């Protein structure tokens, strides 16, 4: 039977999961807490990484290499780039890129380093499960490119750069680093985000206001997916 990792970046992103799961067992490891649990008979391991690409890479690696997870689902919030994404809307990544990875001084494209990839696709089968769950629950699910960077974006200029350079629909601070880890370790992965703000000059206030409610929307959807995964 498969063991499913569920990751968030912040405590608020995993608390709604911990409230719903059974047989919780806390494991302290590498300066973090991992929660082994079951949900509807499925084995899962839950953790939040802390914010940013480095912490997210560490946590994703540990979930796979130490806990033996063979699928990884990320649940959390994002800033909207597309004007049709409103607070609370759900978006799944079909691929992810690192908007702050920049060695353009050497003639390389934004988001690229030699032997790396600008864009990493998520697992198609998991995306299909998400679409089926959305349909069953009458929920709208957007799909698009998610751009990741070690910056909280609260500027229309930065947001337009990310939009035009990467054609991205939403942005956050962990997805692409999880993608790098899962791609290298050949573990199917899925990134879901509910919108908390529009990455503009009101983003900090919106984020504080909507973090909890949007994180809950994402977490509840992820649990429905765990149930639906074969
Ligand atoms: N996650 C949620 N909102 C964000 C923003 N504006 N920038 C970066 N990450 C985010």
């Amino acid at each position: 039977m498969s063991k499913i990792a569920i990751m968030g970046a912040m405590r608020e992103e995993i608390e709604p999961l911990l409230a719903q799961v059974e047989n919780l067992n806390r494991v302290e490891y590498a300066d973090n807490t991992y929660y082994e649990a079951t949900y509807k008979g499925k084995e899962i391991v839950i953790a939040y990484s802390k914010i940013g690409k480095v912490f997210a890479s560490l946590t994703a690696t540990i979930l796979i290499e130490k806990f033996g997870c063979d699928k990884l689902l990320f649940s959390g919030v994002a800033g909207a780039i597309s004007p049709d994404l409103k607070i609370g809307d759900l978006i799944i990544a079909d691929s992810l890129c690192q908007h702050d990875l920049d060695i353009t001084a050497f003639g390389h494209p934004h988001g690229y380093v030699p032997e790396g990839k600008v864009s990493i696709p998520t697992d198609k089968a998991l995306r299909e499960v998400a679409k089926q769950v959305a349909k069953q629950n009458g929920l709208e699910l957007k799909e698009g490119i998610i751009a990741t960077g070690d910056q909280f974006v609260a500027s229309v200029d930065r947001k337009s750069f990310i939009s035009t350079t990467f054609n991205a629909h939403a942005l956050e601070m962990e997805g692409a680093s999880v993608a790098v880890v899962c791609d290298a370790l050949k573990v199917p992965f899925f990134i879901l985000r509910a919108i908390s703000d529009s990455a503009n000059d009101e983003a900090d206030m919106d984020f504080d206001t909507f973090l909890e409610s949007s994180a809950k929307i994402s977490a509840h959807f992820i649990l429905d997916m765990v149930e639906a995964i074969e």
Side-chain angles (χ1 to χ4, degrees), residues 16-17 20 39 75 215-225:
L17 302 166
Q20 298 286 319
Y39 185 72
S75 180
K216 244 183 220 161
I217 292 170
S218 176
H220 290 149
F221 191 96
I222 285 285
L223 287 177
D224 286 344
M225 278 186 70

Side-chain angles (χ1 to χ4, degrees), residues 9 18 21 39 48 85-86 156 161 165 172 192:
L18 297 178
V21 299
Y39 185 72
Y48 74 92
L85 280 172
K86 306 293 179 215
V156 172
F161 163 80
T165 310
E172 35 84 310
L192 176 71

Side-chain angles (χ1 to χ4, degrees), residues 3 11 16 18 31 36 48-49 55 75 99 110 112 148 166 172 181 196 198 201 216:
K3 199 193 258 191
R11 180 182 300 283
L18 297 178
D31 249 348
E36 297 174 319
Y48 74 92
S49 54
F55 285 130
S75 180
H99 69 72
H110 283 281
Y112 178 80
T148 302
F166 296 98
E172 35 84 310
V181 170
S196 56
S198 295
D201 56 4
K216 244 183 220 161

Side-chain angles (χ1 to χ4, degrees), residues 99-100 151 153-163 171:
H99 69 72
D100 60 346
Q151 304 169 350
V153 177
S155 133
V156 172
D157 284 353
R158 182 70 195 165
K159 181 164 100 157
S160 337
F161 163 80
I162 295 167
S163 170
L171 54 86

Side-chain angles (χ1 to χ4, degrees), residues 71-112:
K71 289 185 180 61
L72 189 151
L73 313 178
F74 192 104
S75 180
V77 301
I81 297 177
S82 306
D84 65 324
L85 280 172
K86 306 293 179 215
I87 285 165
D89 285 357
L90 286 167
I91 176 166
I92 64 175
D94 47 30
S95 66
L96 298 111
C97 54
Q98 297 184 59
H99 69 72
D100 60 346
L101 186 58
D102 183 348
I103 56 164
T104 54
F106 297 92
H108 293 296
H110 283 281
Y112 178 80

Side-chain angles (χ1 to χ4, degrees), residues 64-192:
I64 295 164
E65 292 283 299
K66 179 176 168 65
F67 289 92
C69 295
D70 53 15
K71 289 185 180 61
L72 189 151
L73 313 178
F74 192 104
S75 180
V77 301
I81 297 177
S82 306
D84 65 324
L85 280 172
K86 306 293 179 215
I87 285 165
D89 285 357
L90 286 167
I91 176 166
I92 64 175
D94 47 30
S95 66
L96 298 111
C97 54
Q98 297 184 59
H99 69 72
D100 60 346
L101 186 58
D102 183 348
I103 56 164
T104 54
F106 297 92
H108 293 296
H110 283 281
Y112 178 80
V113 292
E115 299 179 49
K117 300 168 185 166
V118 172
S119 156
I120 299 179
T122 56
D123 183 66
K124 187 156 187 295
L126 290 173
R127 271 186 267 141
E128 290 306 319
V129 173
K131 286 176 199 171
Q132 183 196 316
V133 165
K135 200 168 162 194
Q136 274 161 7
N137 292 297
L139 292 171
E140 201 188 338
L141 201 56
K142 303 258 170 49
E143 188 172 358
I145 298 170
I146 294 185
T148 302
D150 282 327
Q151 304 169 350
F152 183 83
V153 177
S155 133
V156 172
D157 284 353
R158 182 70 195 165
K159 181 164 100 157
S160 337
F161 163 80
I162 295 167
S163 170
T164 51
T165 310
F166 296 98
N167 207 11
H169 301 85
L171 54 86
E172 35 84 310
M173 302 181 68
E174 296 81 22
S177 58
V178 171
V180 169
V181 170
C182 293
D183 184 53
L185 295 173
K186 311 263 183 297
V187 168
F189 73 100
F190 172 82
I191 310 280
L192 176 71

